[in-house]
Amino acid sequence: MVLRAHFLAKASRLPIAAPARPSAGTLEHARAAFAARSWREATDAFAVAASSAPLRADDHGRRAAAAFLVGDDATCERAWDDAYRAAVEAGDRSTAARCAWWIAFCLLLRGQMAQASGWLTRSRRLVGGAGVDCAASGYLLIPELLGVLEADPVVAHDLAVRAIDIGSRLDDGDLRAFGLLGRGQALIA
């Protein structure tokens, strides 16, 4: 529930993009529902919009966040996958890497470790090939941090601080939040 509350707070701060296609009334409706924090309505409207025309990665990301907030994990995962594919098609490796991380995160929450590991590997490859500093490089520190938390809280703390620094430098509130949560866990471990 704490994680869903974090997403609720984060989703209220997501920028609402200008419509990509002015005639796409359903997409405009989905974005408006998202902006109004009508999560179920946004989830449903984005699904309709996605079935009628390709969406951009950021709209799929909104669809994923809204689905997560109403507890529709399957739609959330599918929307992140669609966001990943849209980013790959657009040649945006850093966004694709971030989306791959979110897919892995959703799978980890559902206990699907093998599939999550595959998506984490994909995210790492994209970060390595992106040639730019991107938020996904910080997100990838989170599973590493969790893996060493009990055995070596000092290392976990250092990883958390790195994640916070990357999130701050790139203005990624989610990454900063994950880093701060990890730092807190390391301090009490």
Side-chain angles (χ1 to χ4, degrees), residues 21 24-31 41-56 59-60 63:
R21 296 170 292 279
T26 304
L27 183 56
E28 291 171 4
H29 174 75
R31 289 173 176 161
E41 184 180 352
T43 301
D44 295 342
F46 276 120
V48 171
S51 70
S52 62
L55 300 181
R56 297 184 324 211
D59 286 319
H60 284 299
R63 178 177 163 216

Side-chain angles (χ1 to χ4, degrees), residues 5-182:
H6 165 72
F7 267 93
L8 183 60
K10 176 238 182 225
S12 68
R13 295 185 309 269
L14 277 176
I16 303 304
R21 296 170 292 279
S23 63
T26 304
L27 183 56
E28 291 171 4
H29 174 75
R31 289 173 176 161
F34 188 88
R37 301 178 186 171
S38 298
W39 309 125
R40 173 51 61 196
E41 184 180 352
T43 301
D44 295 342
F46 276 120
V48 171
S51 70
S52 62
L55 300 181
R56 297 184 324 211
D58 59 341
D59 286 319
H60 284 299
R62 288 182 189 90
R63 178 177 163 216
F68 184 85
L69 290 166
V70 297
D72 188 347
D73 295 335
T75 297
C76 175
E77 183 183 327
R78 194 168 43 255
W80 279 123
D81 185 78
D82 292 341
Y84 166 80
R85 293 178 195 294
V88 168
E89 287 176 17
D92 186 350
R93 295 175 70 91
S94 61
T95 297
R98 183 179 49 80
C99 293
W101 186 89
W102 280 108
I103 294 168
F105 179 74
C106 291
L107 290 166
L108 286 169
L109 290 177
R110 292 174 43 204
Q112 297 179 357
M113 304 306 179
Q115 287 179 301
S117 178
W119 280 102
L120 287 171
T121 298
R122 185 174 296 181
S123 183
R124 279 187 200 96
R125 285 184 188 144
L126 286 163
V127 166
V132 295
D133 192 20
C134 64
S137 63
Y139 281 108
L140 287 167
L141 297 172
I142 303 305
E144 189 178 341
L145 173 160
L146 295 173
V148 299
L149 184 61
E150 289 185 30
D152 196 342
V154 172
V155 170
H157 181 271
D158 292 345
L159 291 168
V161 169
R162 284 178 48 203
I164 294 166
D165 290 345
I166 293 168
S168 295
R169 189 173 66 254
L170 299 176
D171 195 29
D172 189 308
D174 288 337
L175 179 53
R176 283 193 311 265
F178 276 115
L180 287 168
L181 288 168

